[in-house]
Amino acid sequence: MKKTRILGAIMALSLSAAPILGFANTVTKKIFTVQITAEAAQWIQSENKWWYRHDDGSYTKGDWELINGKWYYFDYQGWMKTGKIEVKNKYYILGTDGAMLIGWVKTKEAWHYCQPGSGECLTGWRYINGAQYYFNAYGQMLVGLLNINGKWFYLEDRVSENDKDYGKMRTGLIRLNGKTYYADSNGVIKR
């Protein structure tokens, strides 16, 4: 959809100084019309890549942009990114449509939790919906029997990846591989 603005101007020039210069007293009128055409902001596809052109023809490069209520990231050439990306040492996950994903997100590698508001993948120990989880430096949720900073923890991996308990830190008595362990209220396994 094109927006067209027509600017019209009428300029009248009176050469009142003409008699001083020896010219006859004349009035000259010039009429002109200028047409400026601007494209509406829109997504542009080139092969299998996308970019977003603004009304003025510019486009975002190397930054985030909020478009129709969704956040998108554009690389330094202006192409929309998808999948897992790193921006300023933080990880984010973008859908196949390029929009930032938030909350629990499953990728090929692991589950992630992307912070509502910022979209940043959480790292370290995190308390989410009443349970403790652990995420590595890349934002991937870790599961199983883990040694974290010299202490042992068990993060549930004996259920389906889609089970609500998957990845939760366990406390109390835990039976693993025929042995019973006890994890205190901080999840630390006592041997």
Side-chain angles (χ1 to χ4, degrees):
M1 175 193 323
K2 291 186 178 184
K3 295 178 185 174
T4 305
R5 290 181 232 134
I6 305 293
L7 299 177
I10 299 174
M11 183 174 87
L13 175 61
S14 173
L15 299 173
S16 58
I20 299 171
L21 299 173
F23 297 106
N25 190 5
T26 63
V27 175
T28 305
K29 292 182 181 180
K30 292 186 179 181
I31 300 173
F32 62 93
T33 301
V34 177
Q35 182 173 343
I36 300 172
T37 303
E39 295 283 335
Q42 62 181 308
W43 286 100
I44 307 292
Q45 184 178 14
S46 179
E47 297 181 19
N48 63 346
K49 298 193 263 184
W50 290 87
W51 59 284
Y52 188 77
R53 184 178 65 211
H54 302 117
D55 287 343
D56 64 1
S58 67
Y59 53 98
T60 301
K61 294 187 214 174
D63 206 355
W64 293 98
E65 183 170 349
L66 183 64
I67 302 170
N68 297 326
K70 296 180 181 180
W71 284 102
Y72 297 86
Y73 187 79
F74 297 90
D75 68 16
Y76 287 96
Q77 294 179 324
W79 297 111
M80 178 193 77
K81 300 298 288 177
T82 62
K84 189 171 183 183
I85 63 169
E86 181 181 2
V87 178
K88 297 179 183 173
N89 299 316
K90 295 179 182 179
Y91 290 92
Y92 302 85
I93 302 174
L94 309 174
T96 56
D97 66 348
M100 176 192 291
L101 301 177
I102 58 171
W104 285 106
V105 178
K106 176 80 166 91
T107 64
K108 291 177 186 174
E109 302 92 31
W111 279 98
H112 304 262
Y113 189 81
C114 302
Q115 184 69 39
S118 71
E120 178 186 344
C121 292
L122 298 181
T123 59
W125 285 107
R126 296 300 176 138
Y127 190 77
I128 302 167
N129 298 329
Q132 285 279 82
Y133 299 88
Y134 186 79
F135 301 89
N136 67 14
Y138 304 102
Q140 299 167 331
M141 181 179 74
L142 301 182
V143 297
L145 188 60
L146 301 173
N147 186 322
I148 301 171
N149 298 325
K151 296 178 182 177
W152 288 93
F153 299 86
Y154 179 70
L155 301 159
E156 188 62 66
D157 69 346
R158 296 173 295 179
V159 295
S160 161
E161 285 189 27
N162 296 320
D163 188 287
K164 64 179 179 59
D165 289 332
Y166 189 74
K168 285 183 179 179
M169 180 189 74
R170 294 285 309 271
T171 59
L173 294 176
I174 304 168
R175 186 133 175 96
L176 298 171
N177 301 322
K179 294 183 181 177
T180 301
Y181 300 92
Y182 175 76
D184 67 18
S185 62
N186 295 316
V188 178
I189 294 177
K190 306 296 181 182
R191 293 189 171 210

